[in-house]
Amino acid sequence: MAFNNLIGNDKIKSLLQKAIENNNILHTYMFLGIDGIGKFLFAKEFAKMILCSDANNKPCNKCVSCIQFDSNNNPDFTIIEPDGKVIKIEQIRLMQEKILEKPIGGSKKIYIIRDADKMTKESQNCLLKTLEEPPEYVVMILLVQNEGQILNTVKSRCLRISFEKISDIELKDYILKNNILDNIDENMLKLCEGSIGKAIKLKENEILYRSLIDILENLDKLDLVEILKKAEIIYKEKENILELLDYFNVIIYNIYTKRLNDKYLNCILLVEEAKKRIRFNTNFDMTLDNLLITMWEELNN
Ligand SMILES: [Zn+2]
């Protein structure tokens, strides 16, 4: 079954499924919704279905197109992403050159523009030419978090589909049924933010996140030496530190909502401060030391 790895947003599933069945696929879609809600996963699955060469069972996961798709090698599928903070006009121009080349494998070519709201105005105006006269074989899916950033002229040429957040109950149910995690507490559920993708990622780092929760929940109970010892595991996560610090804040906020101690809100500010320092390439170990110590002091003084 198509979309069987994705939960929630059932209306959207059947809308896209019907488009495939009736061979009524439009040139431009705009998927709207907050980050982590599944827009990208839905768009990818939809693209895979469109490109699949099996007549009845899309995606079949067996045809050349599906196999290429799963190994990120399908020549008729392209993802455009921000280069730095924005999607530059050069990226759109390059895409427009490539769009003119006919599909290689089948009858369609698909482009997903991720974070399409990060297109500059110039990029959007440039894209407009393609939206107005798309080659017959092209399908574009624009993923948008902040609709206000998109020009009306662009919006009006897309079929807009709004995604709803998956409820914590649905998500918990899915995670347990599919053995993504053996058990999930409220903190971990919050870390998933209604996103199955995040839950899977969480599994990969389960030990790390569980110790993170352990550290933050015990900041006001253990002495500093014990905290720093428990925190050793975090020091190995240099690569993912910004993401990890976001998780710090989710967990801290969750603790705050239970304990209603304003000191936890101050801890969130300390985490934000640490994020800034790390973005400015301040020494990683020192920043983390400093963060843990100041948070500990905040809660224990
Ligand atoms: Zn297939």
Side-chain angles (χ1 to χ4, degrees):
M1 251 281 287
F3 299 113
N4 61 355
N5 288 324
L6 304 171
I7 47 168
N9 288 295
D10 290 336
K11 277 186 200 150
I12 297 175
K13 283 179 195 166
S14 59
L15 179 98
L16 300 178
Q17 183 82 48
K18 279 214 182 81
I20 299 268
E21 281 164 15
N22 302 333
N23 198 17
N24 181 23
I25 296 154
L26 305 177
H27 283 298
T28 322
Y29 293 86
M30 182 178 287
F31 288 2
L32 296 156
I34 57 153
D35 276 349
I37 208 168
K39 302 188 295 290
F40 183 56
L41 295 176
F42 268 73
K44 265 179 77 178
E45 184 77 355
F46 187 42
K48 187 176 168 186
M49 286 159 81
I50 296 171
L51 294 173
C52 173
S53 58
D54 191 291
N56 305 309
N57 176 33
K58 294 172 191 281
C60 71
N61 295 318
K62 287 177 198 141
C63 69
V64 174
S65 170
C66 284
I67 290 167
Q68 285 176 330
F69 196 95
D70 286 337
S71 56
N72 299 320
N73 257 329
N74 193 308
D76 296 324
F77 176 64
T78 309
I79 301 168
I80 311 282
E81 289 178 296
D83 176 8
K85 286 198 172 116
V86 296
I87 297 177
K88 297 172 181 154
I89 190 164
E90 293 79 15
Q91 291 177 271
I92 300 295
R93 284 201 185 116
L94 188 67
M95 179 185 92
Q96 284 170 322
E97 273 173 39
K98 294 274 177 197
I99 269 182
L100 298 176
E101 297 165 11
K102 296 228 160 78
I104 293 171
S107 59
K108 295 278 186 195
K109 259 177 109 163
I110 324 264
Y111 288 83
I112 294 181
I113 305 185
R114 260 188 124 158
D115 298 316
D117 41 350
K118 294 195 174 139
M119 282 188 288
T120 60
K121 286 234 158 61
E122 294 73 35
S123 301
Q124 294 189 45
N125 275 319
C126 182
L127 179 70
L128 208 49
K129 282 175 232 152
T130 309
L131 299 181
E132 280 163 353
E133 285 175 54
E136 176 256 321
Y137 47 81
V138 162
V139 179
M140 275 179 286
I141 309 171
L142 279 59
L143 309 185
V144 170
Q145 174 163 238
N146 187 353
E147 201 182 353
Q149 299 295 320
I150 301 287
L151 299 176
N152 285 330
T153 43
V154 170
K155 263 193 254 181
S156 65
R157 283 180 175 78
C158 303
L159 177 70
R160 286 146 69 198
I161 299 178
S162 294
F163 280 68
E164 279 164 24
K165 210 167 176 173
I166 298 155
S167 73
D168 281 359
I169 299 166
E170 263 181 309
L171 187 63
K172 185 173 180 177
D173 194 48
Y174 183 89
I175 288 170
L176 297 179
K177 264 193 197 144
N178 291 278
N179 300 316
I180 294 174
L181 294 163
D182 298 332
N183 59 65
I184 181 156
D185 61 26
E186 209 183 316
N187 270 314
M188 297 186 82
L189 208 51
K190 286 273 180 317
L191 292 182
C192 298
E193 292 181 312
S195 151
I196 200 72
K198 289 198 177 175
I200 291 166
K201 214 167 167 193
L202 205 59
K203 182 182 176 58
E204 291 165 10
N205 293 304
E206 195 178 351
I207 299 170
L208 175 67
Y209 293 124
R210 286 208 188 276
S211 39
L212 202 61
I213 291 168
D214 179 43
I215 292 165
L216 295 169
E217 284 191 334
N218 288 302
L219 264 179
D220 59 339
K221 298 184 188 83
L222 298 176
D223 67 42
L224 191 54
V225 179
E226 284 173 287
I227 291 292
L228 290 174
K229 190 157 177 12
K230 275 181 186 285
E232 275 167 17
I233 187 167
I234 309 174
Y235 286 82
K236 294 179 191 140
E237 293 298 318
K238 205 167 183 167
E239 298 288 299
N240 307 316
I241 190 63
L242 282 174
E243 191 185 1
L244 211 60
L245 289 176
D246 282 336
Y247 283 145
F248 265 65
N249 276 348
V250 174
I251 298 166
I252 295 171
Y253 187 74
N254 206 24
I255 299 173
Y256 166 73
T257 57
K258 276 185 255 164
R259 303 188 188 170
L260 294 177
N261 177 349
D262 284 351
K263 287 180 174 177
Y264 285 100
L265 296 180
N266 295 335
C267 288
I268 290 178
L269 297 178
L270 294 171
V271 174
E272 288 304 315
E273 199 56 43
K275 273 160 71 178
K276 255 187 236 160
R277 286 206 205 104
I278 283 171
R279 283 202 194 95
F280 281 113
N281 285 324
T282 316
N283 180 286
F284 171 85
D285 286 357
M286 240 168 63
T287 308
L288 207 49
D289 279 344
N290 183 50
L291 173 64
L292 289 166
I293 294 168
T294 50
M295 282 201 305
W296 184 87
E297 285 171 350
E298 175 67 33
L299 293 168
N300 289 283
N301 285 335

